[in-house]
Amino acid sequence: MTKKKKLIASLATVVVLGAVAIGGTLAYFTDKDSRSNVITLGKVQGTLTETNETTRDDGSTGLTYTNVKPGDEIAKDPTVTLDSKSEDAFCRVKIDYEGLSTSEAADLEAGIELNDNWVKGSDGYYYYQFSMTKSESVNFFNGVKIPATWGNDMAEKTFSMNVTAELIQADNFDQTIVKDANGAITSWG
């Protein structure tokens, strides 16, 4: 190889090594940025209580009535209270009867005078017509009238009237609510 070719090969090698060195150095010029988003979800929490309720030996909580007669009106005031740290919520309540036939339960339910803003849906739940806000309490009803038509066939009969309240967040839920022709909430969809 001639001197000239060796010189050109050497210069080419220097240029290639220089480009690699510069390119390698430029690879260190980088940037990075990030954000850490903290998301805390809310909660819906409430309680169902009744005046003078007690806890029984079996762990259940409620009221116990004895020596009840046809035509008596018994005090019963199921009240739903939304917790002070809860998100706004819709409320529905269901009554289940143990120890009564379907027709006996219907007779007893006819003796319940609902408080304002409660509507019974076709699914058996009673729907409160407004969303509840933090610390708000709503009363379902204040008493039950025992059917005066109940006779000796009901003597010494024991039954339970179990009330269950359910709450669901109000935000972003209104699109699934089903309303009747009068605009009353009749289902959560």
Side-chain angles (χ1 to χ4, degrees), residues 2 6 15 22 30 33 39-40 42-44 54 58 76 85 98 101 104-105 107 111 114 128 136 152-153 182:
T2 67
K6 282 184 183 180
V15 170
I22 291 171
T30 62
D33 199 3
I39 299 170
T40 303
K43 68 177 180 177
V44 172
T54 60
D58 66 1
K76 186 166 180 58
K85 295 179 182 174
E98 292 178 24
S101 69
E104 292 166 344
D107 290 344
L114 297 176
Y128 187 63
E136 182 179 0
N152 285 337
D153 56 327
N182 298 320

Side-chain angles (χ1 to χ4, degrees), residues 66-85:
T66 57
N67 200 26
V68 178
K69 299 165 204 61
D72 282 356
E73 187 162 335
I74 58 173
K76 186 166 180 58
D77 63 346
T79 302
V80 180
T81 303
L82 201 56
D83 189 76
S84 64
K85 295 179 182 174

Side-chain angles (χ1 to χ4, degrees), residues 66-140:
T66 57
N67 200 26
V68 178
K69 299 165 204 61
D72 282 356
E73 187 162 335
I74 58 173
K76 186 166 180 58
D77 63 346
T79 302
V80 180
T81 303
L82 201 56
D83 189 76
S84 64
K85 295 179 182 174
S86 178
E87 300 297 321
D88 293 352
F90 286 104
C91 178
R92 70 181 182 180
V93 175
K94 186 163 188 156
I95 306 171
D96 291 310
Y97 303 93
E98 292 178 24
L100 294 178
S101 69
T102 303
S103 64
E104 292 166 344
D107 290 344
L108 183 63
E109 200 158 309
I112 297 173
E113 189 172 330
L114 297 176
N115 286 324
D116 292 339
N117 303 315
W118 289 93
V119 173
K120 187 172 186 180
S122 60
D123 58 2
Y125 282 92
Y126 291 88
Y127 291 87
Y128 187 63
Q129 296 301 298
F130 302 98
S131 67
M132 296 175 64
T133 58
K134 297 175 194 288
S135 302
E136 182 179 0
S137 293
V138 291
N139 182 260
F140 183 36

